[in-house]
Amino acid sequence: MSFYPRIYFACHTRHVPDPKRNRILSSHQASVLDHLDEIEPTGLLTLAAHMGVTASTMSLMIDRLARNGYVIRERDASDGRRVGLRLTKAGVRIKSEKSVLDPKRVRAVLDQLTAEERRQAIHGLALLAQASARAMQNSASQPQIRSHA
């Protein structure tokens, strides 16, 4: 459990460039885009709760993303107090182009290894990926237990 945070910190993307708009998005902004869809709106309160922030914090983040053309805010037709969030075409583009890992940082980490260590590391990651896929498949096939509390 202690290995993943060290690897993530060394290799994760800190900023997401948008060369078409000549902007840089923070990893937090890009994470918000990851949780939105271009067709199905997501409620601001739902998104804030899911991401573990207050509604006002999320509202400020959405304000910036909307101002820069990545998100559309819409009032719910059945309840005008509720706000739905959807991605714009630019938001969809950023969501599809970005990666959690920065290829340059990953390369810099891999360059610290000998050829044999690199082969072993990649083999180990492949094994973890295969086991992860099986675990996800098994999890999806298990009946979900619902709490009625």
Side-chain angles (χ1 to χ4, degrees), residues 50-69:
H50 175 74
M51 297 193 74
V53 298
T54 65
S56 59
T57 297
M58 183 56 66
S59 185
L60 291 170
M61 180 78 72
I62 294 299
D63 283 346
R64 174 173 258 170
L65 289 169
R67 212 174 27 253
N68 290 325

Side-chain angles (χ1 to χ4, degrees), residues 97-135:
E97 290 177 0
K98 81 166 197 63
S99 170
V100 172
L101 299 179
D102 181 332
K104 290 178 186 171
R105 290 178 182 274
V106 172
R107 171 56 50 203
V109 168
L110 290 175
D111 285 346
Q112 302 300 306
L113 303 174
T114 66
E116 176 58 21
E117 289 169 332
R118 203 168 22 255
R119 187 195 65 70
Q120 289 176 10
I122 291 170
H123 178 72
L125 289 172
L127 291 173
L128 285 171
Q130 291 166 4
S132 296
R134 286 192 303 270

Side-chain angles (χ1 to χ4, degrees), residues 14-16 24-31 61:
R14 280 138 174 100
H15 295 96
V16 178
I24 304 277
L25 283 78
S26 72
S27 60
H28 294 295
Q29 290 171 320
S31 178
M61 180 78 72

Side-chain angles (χ1 to χ4, degrees), residues 26-86:
S26 72
S27 60
H28 294 295
Q29 290 171 320
S31 178
V32 169
L33 297 181
D34 280 341
H35 288 83
L36 298 175
D37 185 73
E38 76 178 306
I39 297 170
E40 188 64 36
T42 300
L44 181 93
L45 295 176
T46 301
L47 181 62
H50 175 74
M51 297 193 74
V53 298
T54 65
S56 59
T57 297
M58 183 56 66
S59 185
L60 291 170
M61 180 78 72
I62 294 299
D63 283 346
R64 174 173 258 170
L65 289 169
R67 212 174 27 253
N68 290 325
Y70 300 107
V71 174
I72 298 170
R73 277 185 147 143
E74 300 172 321
R75 291 277 173 203
D76 186 313
S78 62
D79 183 351
R81 297 170 297 175
R82 297 181 61 165
V83 175
L85 307 170
R86 288 188 307 111

